[in-house]
Amino acid sequence: MSNIARHIAIIMDGNGRWATERGLRRVKGHERGAEVVRTLTTHASNHPEIEVLTLYAFSTENWKRPKMEVDFLMRLLNNYLKNETETYIRNEVRFETIGDISRFSPALQEQIARLKETTKHFSKLTQVLALNYGSQDEIARAAKSLCEGGEEITIESLEKSIESSRFGPVDLLIRTGGEQRLSNFLLWQSAYAELFFTPTLWPDFTPEELESIIDDFKKRQRRFGGI
Ligand code: FPP
């Protein structure tokens, strides 16, 4: 039986380079990147296998960027969630997030809550945006809460306490932009994920390339530690 790409996670890298190569400001790359998020999510919602698409939209490290770029990303995200609400509804996509959004503006937090509420009954695809997300922090917080509750730390108890575990293990983890690292993304859930690194910059990533990666994924032997 071939592998099923139930949960796909993507590290969307290369927006800045895409823009710089064209003599544009970096934020133009993020703008184009948001369009690719829409195209890919729509494609995934019509895919027979994909149930969860987790996208790394803002890491805990991204606050280190110039304030102007951080502000732009926040505005872009807010506008995206507002303007694309119809797209979520039309494609029956449930919107979810992982990460600590308490540092975001009240307006953005409200927008996030509104879209979650509007889309909570949909089940064709769950799109999970990782926002102010860091995997080590999430694992440490889960361990701390187990200790404080006097519970034993086991794989099962940790699994239940890690916020992002509720979306299940990652089958296929893709990173665009040519770097080959995980950058603190879904470390627990990717224990047995198949990894794919493509040099394509995120604004150039297409549903066709996703399909060719899924084809390749299907040919890989997943043994989960067995033989
Ligand atoms: C990495 O590119 C990308 C980000 C840090 C942000 C990801 C954001 C988007 C794809 C657009 C907004 C998302 C939504 C959901 C509306 P980079 O800037 O690190 O690129 P570089 O490595 O070429 O500098």
Side-chain angles (χ1 to χ4, degrees):
M1 225 181 55
S2 68
N3 303 319
I4 307 281
R6 190 196 74 86
H7 185 172
I8 297 183
I10 308 184
I11 300 174
M12 309 181 288
D13 200 7
N15 293 348
R17 275 166 286 161
W18 181 91
T20 309
E21 277 173 9
R22 286 163 177 75
L24 302 168
R25 289 180 306 136
R26 288 175 52 83
V27 293
K28 285 283 163 202
H30 296 316
E31 229 165 57
R32 178 62 78 99
E35 288 170 27
V36 176
V37 168
R38 179 182 356 110
T39 308
L40 251 278
T41 304
T42 301
H43 179 79
S45 72
N46 291 309
H47 193 284
E49 278 181 15
I50 309 170
E51 290 175 23
V52 182
L53 179 67
T54 303
L55 303 172
Y56 209 176
F58 196 87
S59 76
T60 47
E61 307 310 307
N62 287 152
W63 296 108
K64 292 181 199 151
R65 295 186 176 209
K67 183 174 182 311
M68 180 256 170
E69 186 171 336
V70 170
D71 289 348
F72 184 91
L73 280 168
M74 294 295 143
R75 258 197 324 275
L76 182 65
L77 180 62
N78 205 345
N79 290 339
Y80 181 88
L81 300 180
K82 205 171 345 177
N83 299 337
E84 297 300 332
T85 299
E86 279 310 310
T87 316
Y88 283 90
I89 296 172
R90 192 170 52 249
N91 294 313
E92 296 173 37
V93 174
R94 177 159 77 109
F95 169 67
E96 274 289 349
T97 63
I98 51 173
D100 177 12
I101 58 166
S102 67
R103 206 174 147 182
F104 290 179
S105 73
L108 181 50
Q109 289 184 51
E110 278 163 31
Q111 181 56 53
I112 289 169
R114 219 173 6 249
L115 189 58
K116 279 186 189 171
E117 180 61 28
T118 308
T119 63
K120 70 179 181 197
H121 302 299
F122 295 142
S123 57
K124 247 173 100 183
L125 174 79
T126 300
Q127 181 209 54
V128 184
L129 291 189
L131 299 171
N132 193 23
Y133 175 81
S135 198
Q136 291 178 329
D137 174 63
E138 178 185 53
I139 295 167
R141 275 189 291 119
K144 186 163 176 274
S145 84
L146 287 173
C147 283
E148 284 171 354
E151 285 178 67
E152 198 186 343
I153 296 190
T154 63
I155 291 179
E156 290 74 25
S157 69
L158 264 176
E159 174 105 27
K160 282 203 191 97
S161 304
I162 293 172
E163 189 200 1
S164 57
S165 289
R166 67 190 193 278
F167 301 109
V170 173
D171 298 297
L172 172 52
L173 190 143
I174 300 167
R175 182 175 187 137
T176 64
E179 310 288 355
Q180 303 199 2
R181 53 176 170 258
L182 297 179
S183 299
N184 203 13
F185 186 48
L186 298 177
L187 301 179
W188 180 275
Q189 298 79 352
S190 298
Y192 291 102
E194 292 294 325
L195 309 181
F196 284 77
F197 300 99
T198 168
T200 304
L201 304 175
W202 177 249
D204 290 327
F205 194 71
T206 59
E208 290 71 31
E209 182 164 4
L210 177 68
E211 285 305 320
S212 106
I213 290 173
I214 293 175
D215 281 349
D216 192 350
F217 164 79
K218 291 200 165 294
K219 290 182 205 131
R220 291 199 187 175
Q221 267 206 9
R222 299 184 82 193
R223 290 194 294 271
F224 299 96
I227 50 169

